[in-house]
Amino acid sequence: MRARDLAVDFPTATLDTPALEAAKLLAEQDLPGLILVDPDGRPLSILPGTQVLRLAVPAYCQDDPALARVVDEAHADLFLRRLGGRTVRECLPEQPKELPVADMKATVLELAALMARTRSPLVAVVDGDRLVGAVTLQSLLDHVLEL
Amino acid sequence: MRARDLAVDFPTATLDTPALEAAKLLAEQDLPGLILVDPDGRPLSILPGTQVLRLAVPAYCQDDPALARVVDEAHADLFLRRLGGRTVRECLPEQPKELPVADMKATVLELAALMARTRSPLVAVVDGDRLVGAVTLQSLLDHVLEL
């Protein structure tokens, strides 16, 4: 069993995808993250679901829970307004880390090591430099546990 | 809307839970992670799903993808054998970070800030020091996007 056998189609986004659209995709399809591709379909990065939240939280609340507490809960809709007009580009973590990208011949063990090392529950699978699908932690566990 | 309104029951594990049982729980219930509690039900840590894989990958493969590649794929069952007899305690990341734990009065903004800062798609909700449930990224996004 290799990455090509475990990989499934997976939604992608680009750096210019609206943040709100990315958030909806994550929520509606219950995804652990999104694969970001360049205009030629090459994987650029993985956007973890939690990082979309960074845009929705005002900067003054990010590091000070006390400030987040005093913002009236009635203003939760601020959330959506803050995401409006912004793009995925602004959600990306500042320091790019090792990308969870594997080629089609990657073994189950290789995929597991990559997920563990990058802490990403999502690995992009490429043929050359073109994205062909993704393997999720879920599908990997299902496979190894023979569920 | 506060954490107490968004929190749902969530499976827990202890440091002594077998790693294989934790992996099955993650896979069967499609969870982003598990909440680890002490014998008194106080949250100790969050175990991200990817970290269960760390035990399944032999040490010599963890940092060297080339070695993981040469391990015969037919030995994927090594996976299960390696998990056998080991516990969640051994899966925990070495350096404990800020725990994604919020009290019942935490606002949506506070929960979002906590998830973004700790990069955890799962927040344990406590009443005093007792676990009462969890809020997932999924449920938070569903709420703010009004899905």
Side-chain angles (χ1 to χ4, degrees):
Chain A
M1 184 70 67
R2 302 273 173 159
R4 62 172 167 260
D5 309 305
L6 287 169
V8 294
D9 279 343
F10 205 87
T12 60
T14 71
L15 291 176
D16 296 321
T17 299
L20 191 54
E21 196 178 310
K24 285 182 178 163
L25 206 55
L26 287 164
E28 286 169 0
Q29 300 197 29
D30 197 1
L31 306 174
L34 290 177
I35 297 176
L36 303 186
V37 293
D38 71 11
D40 296 322
R42 286 183 294 233
L44 279 178
S45 189
I46 303 279
L47 177 68
T50 55
Q51 297 311 291
V52 175
L53 295 176
R54 292 171 68 223
L55 282 191
V57 179
Y60 61 86
C61 294
Q62 297 250 9
D63 297 310
D64 189 341
L67 285 173
R69 168 80 41 131
V70 298
V71 174
D72 189 314
E73 58 189 299
H75 293 109
D77 64 332
L78 271 176
F79 233 89
L80 299 186
R81 274 187 273 144
R82 283 186 56 88
L83 286 184
R86 304 177 78 179
T87 64
V88 159
R89 190 185 307 273
E90 299 171 70
C91 303
L92 284 179
E94 283 162 30
Q95 297 170 327
K97 293 178 290 186
E98 179 189 1
L99 281 187
V101 175
D103 67 52
M104 295 201 296
K105 290 183 185 166
T107 62
V108 167
L109 200 56
E110 215 172 336
L111 293 167
L114 189 58
M115 285 184 189
R117 199 167 59 242
T118 60
R119 296 172 187 240
S120 172
L122 181 61
V123 167
V125 179
V126 291
D127 179 6
D129 60 3
R130 196 175 50 87
L131 181 74
V132 292
V135 179
T136 62
L137 170 66
Q138 205 60 39
S139 61
L140 190 75
L141 285 177
D142 285 352
H143 171 68
V144 297
L145 299 174
E146 295 174 341
L147 292 178
Chain B
M1 184 70 66
R2 301 274 173 158
R4 61 172 168 260
D5 308 306
L6 287 169
V8 294
D9 280 343
F10 205 85
T12 60
T14 71
L15 291 177
D16 297 320
T17 299
L20 192 54
E21 195 177 311
K24 285 182 176 164
L25 205 55
L26 287 164
E28 286 168 1
Q29 300 196 29
D30 197 1
L31 306 174
L34 291 176
I35 297 176
L36 304 185
V37 294
D38 72 11
D40 296 322
R42 287 182 293 232
L44 279 177
S45 190
I46 302 281
L47 176 67
T50 55
Q51 296 311 291
V52 175
L53 295 176
R54 292 171 67 223
L55 282 191
V57 179
Y60 61 86
C61 293
Q62 296 249 10
D63 296 312
D64 190 341
L67 285 172
R69 168 79 43 130
V70 298
V71 174
D72 189 314
E73 58 190 300
H75 294 109
D77 63 334
L78 271 175
F79 233 91
L80 299 186
R81 275 188 272 145
R82 284 187 56 87
L83 285 183
R86 304 178 78 178
T87 64
V88 159
R89 190 187 307 273
E90 299 172 69
C91 303
L92 283 180
E94 283 162 29
Q95 297 170 327
K97 293 179 289 185
E98 178 189 2
L99 281 187
V101 175
D103 67 52
M104 295 200 296
K105 290 183 185 167
T107 62
V108 167
L109 200 56
E110 217 172 335
L111 292 167
L114 189 58
M115 285 185 190
R117 198 167 59 242
T118 60
R119 297 172 187 241
S120 172
L122 181 62
V123 167
V125 179
V126 292
D127 180 6
D129 59 5
R130 196 175 50 86
L131 181 72
V132 292
V135 178
T136 62
L137 171 65
Q138 205 57 40
S139 61
L140 190 75
L141 284 178
D142 286 350
H143 171 68
V144 296
L145 298 174
E146 296 175 340
L147 293 178

